[in-house]
């Protein structure tokens, strides 16, 4: 009886095992079929699951697709382009980390040899490179009849590179070159077989411009008429530092612009926050709101200085192409808009010198300036430096020099005189200045509204005497100021809320009388 029971248990176990194995086989087959039917993500088969399109977006424009081989299919072109850019990106990452991870996915066996040697040498000598390419202009030279080989020439490739030894920067290098590239189709992926560097050969056509604003000597001109900036930094009263958010109101902005125009001012400065606008993938709804703002400015005969990259502070070289695409999409959309006076590259970037490195910040600003000029040659460029001392940086890269001034008035005359000596024959704009009228619990000995009015009277007297352009801070007192702006300390937040010429109810404060001269 016992033996019979053991045989039954044994048979039941075999049956259960057989059923389980068949279930696993069927599940595996169904998974494969589902994968084949839905289409596999090409990079899912590679080591580099993070696509370069998410982290690396150099400007790429094909010069020609004519070739003596077979016609190039659009899908194939897209795959070649993506794999080619991926190859550049994984090389940048490998040279930065001294880790060859991903190289095998985009380079053939023979082409990996020198890359691996370089990585090994750099790792042994504690050297690493931070590099990127800013643009590519590939031209198709040959596409084989069997669709397995392609040859391209990539002209005018701008490469930027920083070399570090033991985390100390040794040198910064930028070059423009062309590359002759052969790529092979292996296992369904395009890999680089040869890449030979050569001198740049392509001559670019000059860009036809229609200047809407320009600088002649030390003066700004708008449509051939001299224009002296008399402006104000602007946020709506109820949505400071969130102008393009959920509380965006066309009616509110239109009303405020009428107040600004009727006060005798002719320009405003507004702010574009990098992440809020979608970073490299600029959000269409944000662009539409920005268009509404500049259209309203045009209706009220106000010129607009648009400050880009607010609340951006990365600057890492591998991030550059993303910031370039951000700038490209915004400035290209408004390159012909008559209300735009200038693009301000960034607000107070010198405050990032200590944390990010002065050289890196300046290099980033210089390259962003070049990008903006490429896509919008019709408007001016400036940088909103936090002080007169910082404003001497990159003066040759901007059309007019902007600086902020929040020091004691006793220092104004000497600081301005020194700045004029440091930057001769250049238009200067005091882009931010102001005084808080807060003297409450957290600052009982602070300035009151009468002190604020006296401050602005003296400032306007100075501007009139020196013929200095200005943009004051700011139109309104605010109910709240985000902690990201000044931190959470109540005495700082309270002070920042009361710089306005109009109080929180929209009523003029004594300083409103001196909003301009």
């Amino acid at each position: 009886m016992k033996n019979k029971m053991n045989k039954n248990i044994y048979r039941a176990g075999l049956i259960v095992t057989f059923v389980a194995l068949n279930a696993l086989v069927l599940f595996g087959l169904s998974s494969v079929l589902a994968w084949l039917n839905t289409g596999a993500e090409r990079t899912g088969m590679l080591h580099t699951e993070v696509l370069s399109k998410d982290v690396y977006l150099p400007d790429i424009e094909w010069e020609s697709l004519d070739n003596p081989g077979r016609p190039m299919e659009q899908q194939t072109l897209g795959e070649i382009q993506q794999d080619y850019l991926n190859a550049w990106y994984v090389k940048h990452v490998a040279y930065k980390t001294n880790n060859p991870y991903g190289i095998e996915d985009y380079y053939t066996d023979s082409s990996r040899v020198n890359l691996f040697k370089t990585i090994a040498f750099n790792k042994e000598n504690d050297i690493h490179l931070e590099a990127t390419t800013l643009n590519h202009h590939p031209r198709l030279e040959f596409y084989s009849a069997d669709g397995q080989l392609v040859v391209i020439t990539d002209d005018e490739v701008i490469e930027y590179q920083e070399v570090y030894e033991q985390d100390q920067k040794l040198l910064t290098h930028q070059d423009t070159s062309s590359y002759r590239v052969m790529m092979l189709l292996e296992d369904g992926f395009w890999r680089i077989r040869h890449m030979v560097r050569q001198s740049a050969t392509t001559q670019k056509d000059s860009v036809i411009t229609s200047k809407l604003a320009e600088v002649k000597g030390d003066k700004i001109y708008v449509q051939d008429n001299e224009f002296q900036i008399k402006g104000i930094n602007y946020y709506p009263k109820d949505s400071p530092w969130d102008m393009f958010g959920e509380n965006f109101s066309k009616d509110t902005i239109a009303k405020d612009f009428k107040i600004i125009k009727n006060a005798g001012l002719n320009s405003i400065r507004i702010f574009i926050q990098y992440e809020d606008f979608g970073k490299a993938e600029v959000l269409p709804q944000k662009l539409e709101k920005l268009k509404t703002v500049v259209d309203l400015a045009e209706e009220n005969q106000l010129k607009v200085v648009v400050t880009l990259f607010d609340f951006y502070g990365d600057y890492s070289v591998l991030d550059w192409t993303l910031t370039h695409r951000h700038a490209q999409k915004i400035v290209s959309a408004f390159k012909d808009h008559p209300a735009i006076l200038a693009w301000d590259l960034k607000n107070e970037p010198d405050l990032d010198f200590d944390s990010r490195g002065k050289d890196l910040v300046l290099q980033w600003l210089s390259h962003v300036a070049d990008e903006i000029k490429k896509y919008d040659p019709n408007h001016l460029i400036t940088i909103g430096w936090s002080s007169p001392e910082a404003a001497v940086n990159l003066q040759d890269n901007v059309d007019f020099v902007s600086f902020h001034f929040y020091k004691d008035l006793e220092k104004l005359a000497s600081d301005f005189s020194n700045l004029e000596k440091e930057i001769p024959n250049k238009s200067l704009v005091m882009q931010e200045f102001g005084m808080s009228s807060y003297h409450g619990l957290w600052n009982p000995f602070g300035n009151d509204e009468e002190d604020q009015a006296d401050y602005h009277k003296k400032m306007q007297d100075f501007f009139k005497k020196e013929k200095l352009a200005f943009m004051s801070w700011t139109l309104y007192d605010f109910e709240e100021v985000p902690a990201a702006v000044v931190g959470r300390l109540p005495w700082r937040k309270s002070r920042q809320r009361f710089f306005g010429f109009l109080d929180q109810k929209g009523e003029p404060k004594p300083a409103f009388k001196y909003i301009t001269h």
Side-chain angles (χ1 to χ4, degrees):
M1 184 73 177
K2 184 176 180 182
N3 289 336
K4 186 176 181 181
M5 184 178 296
N6 287 338
K7 288 181 179 179
N8 289 334
I9 292 173
Y10 179 70
R11 288 171 182 167
L14 287 176
I15 292 171
V16 170
T17 303
F18 176 77
V19 172
L21 286 172
N22 277 277
L24 287 172
V25 170
L26 289 172
F27 176 77
L29 288 172
S30 64
S31 297
V32 171
L33 289 172
W35 180 79
L36 291 172
N37 288 330
T38 56
E41 169 56 58
R42 299 174 72 241
T43 53
M45 298 171 63
L46 304 175
H47 300 141
T48 51
E49 288 81 5
V50 178
L51 283 173
S52 69
K53 69 180 181 181
D54 297 324
V55 291
Y56 175 63
L57 289 171
D59 188 20
I60 183 165
E61 180 180 351
W62 286 84
E63 297 293 328
S64 172
L65 293 176
D66 296 332
N67 70 94
R70 62 185 284 183
M72 174 65 71
E73 304 87 353
Q74 193 62 39
Q75 179 179 344
T76 302
L77 178 66
E79 292 171 356
I80 291 171
Q81 174 175 304
Q82 189 61 61
D83 288 348
Y84 179 57
L85 292 182
N86 284 346
W88 277 100
Y89 177 71
V90 297
K91 184 173 75 169
H92 295 327
V93 174
Y95 282 175
K96 179 178 181 178
T97 61
N98 286 328
N99 187 330
Y101 184 83
I103 292 294
E104 293 182 1
D105 296 330
Y106 296 106
Y107 295 87
T108 64
D109 289 340
S110 59
S111 64
R112 297 170 199 160
V113 175
N114 287 333
L115 293 175
F116 288 161
K117 285 181 179 179
T118 300
I119 293 168
F121 175 85
N122 289 347
K123 186 174 184 179
E124 182 180 350
N125 292 277
D126 202 6
I127 295 171
H128 76 271
L129 282 65
E130 297 199 13
T132 191
T133 57
L134 304 181
N135 59 269
H136 295 269
H137 300 95
R139 182 174 67 254
L140 183 62
E141 304 288 0
F142 180 74
Y143 180 39
S144 64
D146 61 2
Q148 303 294 304
L149 181 149
V150 66
V151 178
I152 63 176
T153 297
D154 194 357
D155 284 319
E156 300 279 330
V157 180
I158 298 178
E159 298 179 77
Y160 178 82
Q161 184 179 90
E162 294 180 346
V163 182
Y164 292 81
E165 183 177 8
Q166 297 179 348
D167 292 325
Q168 297 296 315
K169 186 185 296 186
L170 296 181
L171 63 90
T172 297
H173 178 69
Q174 179 172 315
D175 200 4
T176 302
S177 301
S178 291
Y179 288 88
R180 186 82 164 186
V181 183
M182 177 189 292
M183 301 182 73
L184 299 180
L185 186 62
E186 295 183 346
D187 303 323
F189 304 99
W190 290 96
R191 292 183 170 93
I192 291 179
R193 173 65 177 83
H194 290 297
M195 179 181 280
V196 180
R197 187 175 183 176
Q198 53 195 27
S199 300
T201 58
T202 300
Q203 295 294 324
K204 297 294 178 184
D205 295 332
S206 59
V207 178
I208 299 174
T209 64
S210 177
K211 290 286 188 182
L212 296 172
E214 57 185 325
V215 171
K216 300 176 183 178
D218 62 352
K219 300 184 185 304
I220 296 172
Y221 286 81
V222 174
Q223 296 177 340
D224 295 325
N225 295 313
E226 185 179 343
F227 185 85
Q228 184 179 21
I229 296 174
K230 297 181 180 181
I232 194 165
N233 291 264
Y234 174 72
Y235 278 118
K237 177 171 63 70
D238 296 325
S239 55
W241 289 273
D242 190 26
M243 182 171 175
F244 301 96
E246 294 181 359
N247 295 324
F248 181 86
S249 170
K250 178 179 178 180
D251 292 340
T252 295
I253 295 169
K255 179 182 175 182
D256 289 345
F257 284 3
K258 283 183 172 59
I259 293 173
I260 292 170
K261 178 63 178 177
N262 291 336
L265 300 174
N266 61 15
S267 50
I268 59 169
R269 179 180 178 229
I270 59 175
F271 301 82
I272 303 298
Q273 294 170 10
Y274 180 60
E275 291 195 8
D276 179 56
F277 262 63
K279 300 190 286 189
E281 300 296 331
V282 175
L283 302 172
Q285 61 268 34
K286 296 292 184 178
L287 285 179
E288 191 60 35
K289 289 178 179 179
L290 179 57
K291 184 177 185 303
T292 297
V293 172
V294 294
D295 285 348
L296 288 172
E298 178 66 12
E299 291 176 16
N300 288 277
Q301 298 178 303
L302 295 171
K303 295 301 177 186
V304 186
V305 175
V306 182
T307 297
L308 302 167
F309 296 102
D310 206 23
F311 291 117
Y312 173 77
D314 190 339
Y315 307 105
S316 60
V317 175
L318 275 177
D319 203 40
W320 283 13
T321 61
L322 304 185
T323 59
H324 288 181
R325 299 292 72 75
H326 175 86
Q328 176 190 354
K329 290 174 183 177
I330 293 175
V331 302
S332 295
F334 295 94
K335 65 184 179 64
D336 297 317
H337 203 291
I340 302 291
L341 176 68
W343 301 106
D344 177 7
L345 304 188
K346 193 179 188 305
N347 184 56
E348 301 184 341
D350 51 297
L351 299 186
D352 295 327
F353 282 175
D354 289 341
S355 61
R356 302 300 297 168
K358 180 178 179 179
D359 182 61
L360 179 62
V361 175
L362 294 180
Q363 289 287 349
W364 178 84
L365 288 166
S366 175
H367 283 86
V368 170
D370 290 341
E371 287 294 305
I372 291 177
K373 290 173 184 175
K374 181 166 64 176
Y375 295 108
D376 180 8
N378 302 325
H379 296 108
L380 306 178
I381 287 178
T382 192
I383 300 171
W385 300 108
S386 73
S387 68
E389 292 78 13
V392 299
N393 290 290
L394 299 181
Q395 55 183 280
D396 294 331
N397 295 72
V398 297
D399 295 298
F400 62 89
V401 173
S402 298
F403 66 99
H404 301 173
F405 190 88
Y406 290 100
K407 303 180 186 181
D408 292 335
L409 282 178
E410 289 75 14
K411 299 180 180 179
L412 176 57
S414 61
D415 280 5
F416 180 68
S417 177
N418 291 336
L419 190 59
E420 282 190 308
K421 294 174 183 176
E422 292 280 348
I423 310 176
N425 303 317
K426 201 91 170 182
S427 183
L428 302 176
V429 179
M430 188 185 290
Q431 191 188 52
E432 275 190 35
F433 67 98
M435 173 182 282
S436 174
S437 61
Y438 176 74
H439 68 297
L441 174 64
W442 298 108
N443 191 18
F445 302 105
N447 299 300
D448 59 20
E449 292 187 357
E450 294 300 327
D451 295 325
Q452 184 189 45
D454 182 61
Y455 167 89
H456 279 288
K457 180 181 183 303
K458 292 176 179 176
M459 292 298 282
Q460 291 300 331
D461 289 342
F462 183 84
F463 299 147
K464 186 175 182 179
K465 174 177 174 289
E466 299 293 342
K467 297 181 180 179
L468 176 61
F470 66 88
M471 306 189 88
S472 54
W473 183 273
T474 178
L475 183 62
Y476 282 107
D477 285 350
F478 302 125
E479 289 281 355
E480 287 294 333
V481 174
V485 178
V486 291
R488 299 187 179 278
L489 297 177
W491 49 89
R492 290 184 179 177
K493 294 186 70 173
S494 297
R495 180 177 178 273
Q496 185 65 51
R497 289 166 49 205
F498 292 92
F499 274 83
F501 291 92
L502 304 176
D503 64 22
Q504 294 171 0
K505 297 179 180 179
E507 296 297 323
K509 295 162 67 176
F512 189 80
K513 182 179 178 181
Y514 306 107
I515 199 169
T516 188
H517 52 74

